[in-house]
Amino acid sequence: MVHPALLVAPIAAPLLAALLAIAFPRGAVAAALSAVGVALVASLVLVVEVARTGTGAALAIGGWPPPLGIALEADGLSAMFLLAASTIGLGVLVVAQGPFGWTGRETRKGYSFWPLALCLLAALNAIFLSRDFFNFYVGLELLSLSAVALVALDGKREAIEAALRYLMFALVGSLLYLLGAALLYAQYGTLDIGLIAASAETNGPTLVAAGLMTAGLAAKTALFPLHAWLPSAHTGAPAVASAMLSALVPKASFFILVRVWFDALPGQAGPGLTLVLGTMGAVAIVYGSILALLQERLKLIIAYSTVAQLGYLFLVFPLAGGDSTAQPWFAGAWTGGMVHAVSHGLAKAAMFLCAGAMMAAAGGDKLSDVRGIVAKMPLATFAFALAAVTLMGLPPSGGFLAKYLMLTAAFASGAWVWGAVVLAGGLLAALYLYRPLASLFAPADPDRTFTSVPLRTELVPLALALVAVLLGVASQFPYDILQVGRSVAAEAGLE
Amino acid sequence: MGGDPIIASWLVYGCCGAVLVGLGLFGFMRPTTTLRRVLAFNIVGSGIFLLFGATGYRVPSTGADPVPQALIITGIVVALAATALAVALMLALARVSAGRDEDA
Amino acid sequence: MTLPGLTHVLLEGPFLPLAALIWPLVLGLLAALPRLRAHVMMALPLAPIPALILALSGAVSGQTRAPDLLLGVALGLDAEGALLLGAIGALWLLAGIHALGYMKRPDRPAVFVGFWCLTLAGNLGVVLAQDVVTFYVAFAAVSLAAYFLVVHEGTDEALAAGKVYIVLAVIGEALLLAGLMVGASSADSLLIADVRAVLGADGWNGLALTAIVLAMGIKAGLVPLHIWLPLAHPAAPTPASAVLSGAIVKAGIIGLLRFVPGDAEVMGWTLVVLGLFGAYGGVIVGLGQKRIKAVLAYSTVSQMGVVIALCGAGVVTGQTALAYSAAALYCAHHALAKGALFLAVGVAHGSSARLIPFVVIATGVVAASVAGAPLAGGAIAKSVIKPAFEGIPLLLVTLSAIGTTALLARFIVMLGRSHSAMSNAEPGLAMAGAWLAASVGALVLPWLVGGAFMANEASYYLAPGALWSSLWPVGVGLAGFALVLKFVRLRIWFAEGDIAPWVVAGARRGAHVIAHRRRLAPPSLPGVSSAPLRRLVSRIEAGLALPVMAGLAMMAMIAAIVLFR
Amino acid sequence: MIASGFDITVCVLLCLCALAAVTGRDTFRAIVFFIVYGLLISVAWLRIDAIDVALAEAAIGAGLTGVLLLGAFGQMGSADTMAREPRGAVLIALVAGAGIGAAVLFAVQGLPPEGAGLTAEVLAQLEASGVGNPVTAVLLNFRGYDTLLESIVLLVALIGVWSVASETGWGERPGIVHHARAGGTLQSFGRFLPAIGLVIGAYIVWAGSSGPGGAFQGGTVLAAVAILTILAGLVDAPRVTTRWLRWALVMGPGVFLGVALLGLFGGAFLVFPQAVAYPAIVAIEIVLTASIALTLVLLVLGPPREAPQ
């Protein structure tokens, strides 16, 4: 039995720190770092406990079990996502001390950043721990509003425009999701995932509810063709914020989507769902890659790479449970998708932080600006390359583990098309990452000078990229963790 | 007033909510200004709330279900928060575009 | 947790095979530490030591398993593997020692050493891997990390060669992964032996086999996938050229030996034909090369052509086991010999005109060995492979020695001219010692270990008939080359990478056409830069950003989910 | 209960108001229709026995949102231009809106007619919850966690609103500068002031009759009144950097979160032992209501402005 504090801390600690940062901005940095540190330790202990005991941890808030109350629950998936969010969050906040730290005078950006970032992390953790469809909604709104505000933080015209567009997509997405949740409550008299799963049946309201939720969440996850808000938003935000936005925020809505289909309504998925989500994911991979290939700015390449990489997540739906009778690792499409979510998060955060550090050093993020920066920033360049290895799905990174699990499932179940898409995605990633890598590693002009940046802006992305690679080296651990509390549908398949 | 008297009142309000959702979504999607989109967003929201509340009134003998009511109050407050942020962004965009504030 | 406890958890079976892989990785990581930068080059000779110890202790019975790493690593070593591991490890060791003298103050030493060690670990891993995941990971490591060895000099030539190399390497990775995944899922096992059994059995498995052979062919220099090889080998620093040509190409050969099943007759014939084509084509194009390392690179294409044909012949004649042993011995010899020839180039560059005759004579002996001259190790390697062939292929393999002789004669002539301009230049102990050791190793290795691989007693090779059959092709080749040198001025030069310029131009052209539709402007690969395409996608993006398009997409999603249930 | 003609009339009017608000050419009129729509929907809420929601909808949905939209319209003026969009967009929007609306309609009519939700469970535990109003019991006790997060959502939105202030405006007072062109807008507020006051009156009557539960919903009404007072120029909003203001903003969520965390000593989160449930919830309610009301006020006032020259 895990102490409830472990489940509460990842949510409550950042929230407390956010409140403190609002009331007492001088203490924001200290409060933020210690709070996210606490959240990180709590999620780490949680992961270890979940792995050790092989069971999830649950807490009925207020002592009111569902359906009346809300339950927090950490299964393997929750624990992994929590750990990823806290790891990335801590890294981002450490780097953020530079641009947003206390400088003796309160500034608009310096004041606003900390509460927003902390609430964003708290919202992520709240979503990862929740089992209640309305609580998901509140968490999503907390997440979206803080994310939108972070996008606009720079105050430039493009940033505000991007934030507004993001907000429009996010709002409609939330509303459709909420409508679905309301219909589910009207049908089943509960909002709890487990209770709905126990009584779910195939009927009009349930299907419409699931459809509305899926459409809304797809818009929030920036699944092609609902991705158009993402590149400008992730490019317009300050680089440290982009790291969280690109690495973590879309994963929250994807997480809920997984909960909807695999945990709450596994019997309701039909070929329409799997085919539509799979096709959109596949197109996202190809389309996002092509657009990444066409960009000249580092941040835009990374942002379009996110569009492409998010596509992989949705291949989980057609692939899940490809062939559960084969060897254990052949049932791994679901696990592969989740590993992909985590390793992409780590690698993408590392990349955006690298891009931020390089922008600071080079004064711009055009490929021509950062040309030859390896001589000045070897660690950041190395971190970028490591992150690229993960995104390309090269061994032994976490990206490879994910790709491997998805491919085996695809081939084992004869789903050649999806397998081919996964393979092509790796090649395309290599193609669009080649240019930034070649530019970074190129010999610089002798008269080109770069500004010095603090060492931590190079070390943090390096650490994140290394963790992403480590995920693939010590592959058994993430694999085992994700099996704890995994829904039956992840193994037996949707439909 | 000419209505079919067989229809339960929750169903009338529920269907009204559904129609409001459709109307609001149309208003959101059609070519228009951002301010009008924010307005339409609020209509979609209140339509959803009405639908939700109406489904909580299916067994009037026990009174309206308090859970949807509580959730709707939460939802109304959240919708206002989103509206306020949207309006602030809109005004900031107008200000920055007008070139009065090039401090960024 | 104590170390024994940890190894117990992580590892089942002998520790040494895993240590042989981990040790170079650890050294490579240490190279990144700023404090060790001054001594970083010392990692090069140290890195292959555990692998050599493992090779010397011979075959390992049973498998080493590390179930918690990379989805379960399985390593193993049979007699042929031990031979290959020993030869490859020795070449890496000697090239590393050579590098100490060759690159006294290298540019970005940590990068070079780090990727050297990573490449080495991958190269060893390919030999040791018993499961497809480990094989793939190792193959990817050796393939992709070697890119940094190719481009290390940073010249335009090196970068251009690197571009061709990395494109082919990445394509090879994807092909290999696809092939292995298909094979593994249809074999329901991750062990290479099981996967091999199902490859080529039916439609999809046939495609999988083709994909794997293509991936291996890229690495092994199978014509026409060899085009990176004559570009990359001359561009790399000489010690790196030595391992590229001597050791890294063997990764592809090992893959062919491990994966092509005995019943894939069509594939066998394909390999025989393409291999022999490469064996002769490499000689012809190699003779038309202007630069000495390019000549050696084409010699490698030619030699690997012979081995590829051998792999195919083993399948065609149903003697895969024989072909496996023979190929192992042939490759072991070639690794050391080709390593010695490349190192000789480095030694020659560091030698004065006064010293160059010694270099030429010693290298001539090694070259003769490669050509199969009697008594040298190469003759044994040649005689070992012949039983796998029959009919016309046998004749062609025998005759190919003539071409090899001529090509290497040309190399020796060029070597004699490539001494240092300084009259007091000396190659130094590290460079010369490593080169001599590789040369001696190439000459004696087949005699030392050949017993296990030879169909005949050692005395058979000393019989007059055997001596004659290995002598005459060399003689014919030498005589022919001398005649040509004497009476004909070679006027035909081939571009390095023969068809590579056309392939690159074609690829550019293709990207160009896609990007520009019709209008022509100089594009660059792979960054397609194109105004019309950009305009098109920005219009698409702007359209998708409209709320109405998003709404339509959402409605379609809902409809699909509700209606197609 | 069977729908009466009145119900159907309300629904038809609602749809007509929404249609006018959505499709009308003139933005100002659209906003006015929206406010009328908000008041009408409060009537609908009363009809389905949801008084708490009716209050919240009137005060926040129609009142504060209307103020926000009118204020935005006043400041945007002609700056609120449309992006150029393709011709068929209206048609596609019509199809998509109708499609989704039809799906929802299909779902609603397919719902089981006797679903009672959690009414029985809530009433059974009402005693233990410490409050008399079931809605408040859900809001602050059974699903207090949602409410806690919601109060944080409001704060985040406020920080977001503040964060788009101009660089020179930071540290100033929020809201429109009074002698800017606010007159026209304010006059229209004036017309709705009595209506809202009426709702407040009704609320107070109701709250007295049904126990202590209504303060939370009431706070929102008070916020609406406070805003109108500020907008009318009677009181000045405090500067955003004011220390007491910031502490007051975080006090509600902070106390709520703190009390919730106290439960961790007993191995639970956000628990109210029955003995202290009533005073604890009332205390939290008051502080939380104050913070939420203050946040609402500031949200509507908008980012800090540059001081008038």
Side-chain angles (χ1 to χ4, degrees):
Chain A
M1 174 63 193
V2 174
H3 192 272
L6 285 179
L7 290 169
V8 172
I11 306 167
L15 282 185
L16 272 180
L19 295 177
L20 196 72
I22 291 173
F24 183 60
R26 273 164 208 261
V29 176
L33 292 182
S34 40
V36 180
V38 167
L40 178 61
V41 171
S43 356
L44 204 57
V45 177
L46 204 55
V47 163
V48 171
E49 278 300 297
V50 167
R52 199 176 56 82
T53 58
T55 53
L59 168 69
I61 292 178
W64 304 110
L68 198 54
I70 302 168
L72 297 184
E73 194 177 319
D75 56 6
L77 178 63
S78 302
M80 271 297 275
F81 275 39
L82 279 179
L83 187 57
S86 299
T87 310
I88 294 168
L90 188 62
V92 165
L93 294 187
V94 165
V95 176
Q97 290 175 76
F100 299 111
W102 180 258
T103 53
R105 191 176 67 87
E106 187 182 299
T107 60
R108 177 180 69 83
K109 292 182 202 173
Y111 177 74
S112 315
F113 175 81
W114 298 97
L116 294 175
L118 286 163
C119 285
L120 186 133
L121 289 172
L124 284 168
N125 290 344
I127 290 171
F128 294 152
L129 281 168
S130 185
R131 304 285 289 178
D132 181 283
F133 279 129
F134 188 78
N135 190 246
F136 277 144
Y137 168 73
V138 182
L140 271 179
E141 288 295 57
L142 186 57
L143 184 71
S144 297
L145 295 190
S146 38
V148 167
L150 282 173
V151 169
L153 199 59
D154 245 355
K156 294 194 183 76
R157 185 195 148 92
E158 295 76 34
I160 298 177
E161 224 164 21
L164 202 51
R165 187 179 308 132
Y166 179 15
L167 183 60
M168 292 295 140
F169 272 81
L171 288 182
V172 172
S174 305
L175 284 183
L176 291 191
Y177 170 82
L178 176 64
L179 184 50
L183 285 173
L184 280 185
Y185 179 84
Q187 178 74 34
Y188 299 109
T190 175
L191 290 156
D192 182 75
I193 288 178
L195 295 177
I196 289 178
S199 54
E201 48 191 272
T202 307
N203 53 35
T206 307
L207 284 179
V208 172
L212 288 164
M213 290 169 124
T214 307
L217 293 171
K220 282 187 168 270
T221 318
L223 174 60
F224 177 92
L226 299 166
H227 69 282
W229 58 269
L230 185 145
S232 58
H234 290 187
T235 318
V240 282
S242 308
M244 284 193 291
L245 292 174
S246 221
L248 294 172
V249 174
K251 310 290 160 55
S253 40
F254 173 73
F255 176 89
I256 300 176
L257 199 57
V258 168
R259 290 291 194 221
V260 168
W261 286 109
F262 285 94
D263 294 74
L265 303 168
Q268 314 309 313
L273 172 86
T274 52
L275 213 60
V276 162
L277 289 185
T279 309
M280 286 162 79
V283 177
I285 293 175
V286 176
Y287 181 83
S289 301
I290 292 175
L291 268 93
L293 201 53
L294 287 172
Q295 306 305 319
E296 287 298 330
R297 285 179 55 199
L298 204 49
K299 276 177 103 180
L300 269 172
I301 293 176
I302 305 174
Y304 273 109
S305 151
T306 300
V307 172
Q309 298 279 329
L310 290 173
Y312 284 104
L313 299 178
F314 290 86
L315 296 186
V316 165
F317 291 88
L319 282 180
D323 183 359
S324 53
T325 57
Q327 297 192 22
W329 47 77
F330 279 12
W334 183 89
T335 312
M338 302 311 135
V339 171
H340 179 79
V342 172
S343 62
H344 167 255
L346 290 162
K348 197 43 71 73
M351 267 197 176
F352 261 119
L353 291 179
C354 287
M358 288 168 181
M359 265 175 91
D365 73 332
K366 289 213 189 70
L367 289 185
S368 51
D369 293 332
V370 296
R371 194 175 161 76
I373 209 165
V374 64
K376 175 76 182 173
M377 306 174 73
L379 290 176
T381 314
F382 183 53
F384 193 94
L386 269 185
V389 164
T390 297
L391 291 190
M392 294 180 206
L394 289 177
S397 65
F400 168 69
L401 174 63
K403 194 160 99 173
Y404 171 83
L405 289 169
M406 293 174 101
L407 274 179
T408 36
F411 290 142
S413 59
W416 308 100
V417 178
W418 307 126
V421 170
V422 171
L423 278 176
L427 279 178
L428 285 166
L431 212 57
Y432 67 70
L433 288 169
Y434 176 82
R435 273 188 336 134
L437 282 173
S439 190
L440 298 180
F441 277 100
D445 289 338
D447 50 348
R448 176 86 168 96
T449 53
F450 296 104
T451 323
S452 283
V453 293
L455 189 61
R456 64 165 178 269
T457 59
E458 294 194 65
L459 285 179
V460 168
L462 184 60
L464 291 175
L466 278 173
V467 176
V469 170
L470 201 66
L471 211 57
V473 175
S475 55
Q476 201 60 41
F477 187 70
Y479 186 89
D480 287 344
I481 276 279
L482 284 169
Q483 308 315 305
V484 176
R486 188 181 71 164
S487 88
V488 179
E491 201 169 347
L494 295 168
E495 293 185 32
Chain B
M1 283 299 181
D4 190 345
I6 312 283
I7 300 177
S9 67
W10 79 266
L11 194 55
V12 171
Y13 285 107
C15 291
C16 178
V19 173
L20 292 176
V21 167
L23 269 173
L25 283 176
F26 166 70
F28 189 89
M29 288 183 273
R30 79 186 188 96
T32 184
T33 63
T34 314
L35 183 59
R36 299 291 292 272
R37 288 198 211 282
V38 175
L39 190 156
F41 154 77
N42 275 285
I43 289 181
V44 181
S46 66
I48 293 173
F49 299 144
L50 185 60
L51 185 159
F52 197 11
T55 62
Y57 190 58
R58 277 174 290 177
V59 189
S61 54
T62 57
D65 186 350
V67 172
Q69 291 189 58
L71 301 185
I72 289 163
I73 291 175
T74 304
I76 289 174
V77 173
V78 169
L80 179 80
T83 307
L85 185 59
V87 164
L89 283 172
M90 231 165 62
L91 293 177
L93 183 62
R95 184 194 61 200
V96 176
S97 305
R100 271 182 283 159
D101 188 59
E102 294 289 0
D103 54 17
Chain C
M1 201 181 287
T2 58
L3 187 65
L6 187 70
T7 54
H8 182 74
V9 169
L10 290 178
L11 192 71
E12 298 153 11
F15 181 63
L16 197 53
L18 198 64
L21 297 185
I22 291 177
W23 172 245
L25 294 175
V26 171
L27 284 181
L29 279 180
L30 288 180
L33 292 181
R35 203 167 285 184
L36 296 178
R37 196 153 284 175
H39 314 288
V40 70
M41 293 296 281
M42 283 312 294
L44 299 187
L46 290 177
I49 299 288
L52 282 172
I53 296 173
L54 175 64
L56 287 176
S57 59
V60 176
S61 63
Q63 286 177 344
T64 302
R65 287 177 175 277
D68 283 347
L69 291 179
L70 293 173
L71 303 150
V73 168
L75 304 174
L77 198 64
D78 52 16
E80 286 83 355
L83 174 61
L84 281 168
L85 191 75
I88 288 175
L91 174 57
W92 278 95
L93 172 73
L94 296 173
I97 294 173
H98 186 87
L100 293 182
Y102 185 86
M103 316 170 80
K104 288 222 172 57
R105 282 226 191 86
D107 193 23
R108 290 173 296 162
V111 173
F112 185 77
V113 171
F115 284 111
W116 176 283
C117 292
L118 181 55
T119 315
L120 166 61
N123 205 347
L124 301 173
V126 167
V127 181
L128 290 170
Q130 296 291 304
D131 67 286
V132 294
V133 177
T134 311
F135 184 86
Y136 172 71
V137 171
F139 196 85
V142 66
S143 258
L144 301 174
Y147 167 76
F148 292 89
L149 304 183
V150 172
V151 300
H152 183 75
E153 305 267 331
T155 57
D156 287 346
E157 179 208 347
L159 291 175
K163 209 177 249 189
V164 175
Y165 177 83
I166 195 72
V167 167
L168 282 172
V170 170
I171 292 173
E173 287 318 303
L175 286 170
L176 178 62
L177 185 58
L180 292 182
M181 293 294 102
V182 173
S185 56
S186 99
D188 205 3
S189 161
L190 288 177
L191 290 181
I192 290 178
D194 299 337
V195 171
R196 173 202 180 127
V198 301
L199 282 178
D202 53 36
W204 282 108
N205 287 315
L207 275 182
L209 177 62
T210 310
I212 292 174
V213 167
L214 286 175
M216 294 302 129
I218 288 175
K219 189 91 318 186
L222 174 68
V223 177
L225 304 170
H226 68 287
I227 55 172
W228 63 273
L229 203 148
L231 296 175
H233 290 198
T238 295
S241 308
V243 290
L244 271 168
S245 215
I248 295 174
V249 290
K250 304 297 184 296
I253 300 292
I254 292 167
L256 287 177
L257 293 171
R258 292 271 160 85
F259 285 104
V260 180
D263 52 1
E265 201 166 339
V266 176
M267 186 56 78
W269 274 114
T270 312
L271 289 178
V272 169
V273 171
L274 289 178
L276 289 174
F277 186 72
Y280 283 86
V283 167
I284 293 167
V285 180
L287 280 171
Q289 293 300 315
K290 286 179 174 168
R291 293 200 304 170
I292 186 163
K293 278 166 130 191
V295 173
L296 282 183
Y298 275 105
S299 161
T300 297
V301 172
S302 168
Q303 292 291 306
M304 291 303 103
V306 171
V307 185
I308 290 167
L310 171 61
C311 299
V315 173
V316 171
T317 60
Q319 308 180 74
T320 46
L322 172 71
Y324 180 45
S325 299
L329 186 63
Y330 197 91
C331 285
H333 170 258
H334 181 258
L336 287 170
K338 189 49 65 67
L341 295 183
F342 265 106
L343 296 185
V345 175
V347 170
H349 282 312
S351 302
S352 63
R354 192 170 49 82
L355 292 175
I356 203 73
F358 300 101
V359 179
V360 167
I361 290 168
T363 309
V365 175
V366 178
S369 173
V370 173
L375 301 181
I380 294 179
K382 287 247 160 165
S383 67
V384 163
I385 65 170
K386 283 185 182 168
F389 291 98
E390 52 194 29
I392 295 174
L394 177 61
L395 182 65
L396 288 172
V397 167
T398 310
L399 290 179
S400 76
I402 299 175
T404 306
T405 308
L407 183 59
L408 289 178
R410 173 160 173 74
F411 163 72
I412 294 294
V413 170
M414 292 170 89
L415 188 71
R417 295 182 196 137
S418 55
H419 54 80
S420 167
M422 285 184 291
S423 61
N424 59 349
E426 281 181 22
L429 187 60
M431 284 171 71
W435 161 66
L436 274 176
S439 306
V440 172
L443 294 176
V444 303
L445 180 77
W447 288 103
L448 290 178
V449 300
F453 301 94
M454 278 186 272
N456 306 296
E457 292 299 315
S459 57
Y460 169 85
Y461 299 98
L462 300 172
L467 286 177
W468 170 244
S469 74
S470 55
L471 183 61
W472 72 261
V474 177
V476 172
L478 273 179
F481 182 72
L483 285 175
V484 169
L485 209 62
K486 179 83 180 162
F487 299 107
V488 188
R489 281 187 68 85
L490 272 177
R491 287 275 166 86
I492 312 162
W493 304 112
F494 290 97
E496 281 174 19
D498 49 277
I499 58 170
W502 297 328
V503 174
V504 172
R508 284 207 174 139
R509 180 88 191 169
H512 187 202
V513 170
I514 295 167
H516 290 249
R517 307 256 194 87
R518 273 182 301 278
R519 282 186 31 230
L520 300 176
S524 67
L525 229 173
V528 182
S529 59
S530 140
L533 187 61
R534 251 167 233 233
R535 271 202 296 279
L536 177 70
V537 294
S538 70
R539 278 183 63 183
I540 295 176
E541 285 289 279
L544 293 177
L546 295 177
V548 67
M549 295 314 287
L552 190 66
M554 290 184 187
M555 191 204 75
M557 282 180 80
I558 297 167
I561 290 166
V562 175
L563 298 178
F564 299 103
R565 156 71 181 84
Chain D
M1 192 176 287
I2 302 303
S4 68
F6 181 71
D7 291 325
I8 292 170
T9 314
V10 168
C11 286
V12 170
L13 284 177
L14 267 176
C15 293
L16 288 179
C17 276
L19 189 68
V22 158
T23 58
R25 191 165 286 255
D26 181 60
T27 301
F28 181 77
R29 291 227 310 257
I31 297 173
V32 172
F33 271 115
F34 174 75
I35 293 170
V36 174
Y37 162 91
L39 295 174
L40 266 176
I41 216 164
S42 307
V43 175
W45 285 114
L46 290 172
R47 292 290 298 172
I48 52 177
D49 214 7
I51 304 162
D52 303 75
V53 182
L55 284 164
E57 183 76 61
I60 300 179
L64 294 190
T65 309
V67 169
L68 257 175
L69 295 178
L70 278 176
F73 176 73
Q75 291 174 70
M76 292 287 283
S78 57
D80 192 27
T81 48
M82 271 172 49
R84 281 194 300 131
E85 291 190 24
R87 283 233 180 118
V90 179
L91 207 64
I92 300 175
L94 203 62
V95 171
I100 297 178
V104 179
L105 214 53
F106 164 72
V108 170
Q109 61 79 33
L111 285 172
E114 59 288 313
L118 293 170
T119 317
E121 283 87 343
V122 171
L123 293 178
Q125 301 291 344
L126 196 57
E127 191 92 347
S129 77
V131 282
N133 179 350
V135 177
T136 308
V138 175
L139 268 178
L140 286 170
N141 197 339
F142 303 139
R143 297 185 66 97
Y145 176 52
D146 275 344
T147 310
L148 173 64
L149 288 182
E150 172 220 315
S151 66
I152 308 267
V153 172
L154 276 181
L155 272 182
V156 161
L158 180 62
I159 301 294
V161 168
W162 283 1
S163 77
V164 295
S166 67
E167 217 72 51
T168 50
W170 188 253
E172 295 298 332
R173 296 174 194 281
I176 343 169
V177 183
H178 294 310
H179 42 263
R181 40 160 307 169
T185 331
L186 267 182
Q187 275 169 7
S188 19
F189 296 150
R191 272 183 246 144
F192 296 106
L193 197 53
I196 291 175
L198 199 69
V199 175
I200 296 171
Y203 166 71
I204 291 167
V205 172
W206 171 79
S209 70
S210 54
F216 181 80
Q217 295 85 327
T220 57
V221 180
L222 288 175
V225 175
I227 284 171
L228 292 184
T229 326
I230 291 174
L231 286 183
L234 301 176
V235 185
D236 249 354
R239 295 175 184 276
V240 295
T241 45
T242 318
R243 192 167 292 175
W244 71 259
L245 176 74
R246 290 177 171 181
W247 284 106
L249 283 174
V250 301
M251 190 56 74
V255 169
F256 199 178
L257 187 56
V259 171
L261 287 175
L262 280 182
L264 286 180
F265 292 109
F269 180 62
L270 226 164
V271 287
F272 300 103
Q274 200 167 348
V276 296
Y278 174 68
I281 288 186
V282 168
I284 288 174
E285 206 177 4
I286 291 170
V287 191
L288 193 64
T289 305
S291 284
I292 288 181
L294 186 60
T295 315
L296 287 174
V297 170
L298 291 167
L299 267 179
V300 174
L301 288 179
R305 307 280 158 164
E306 283 155 279
Q309 299 299 312

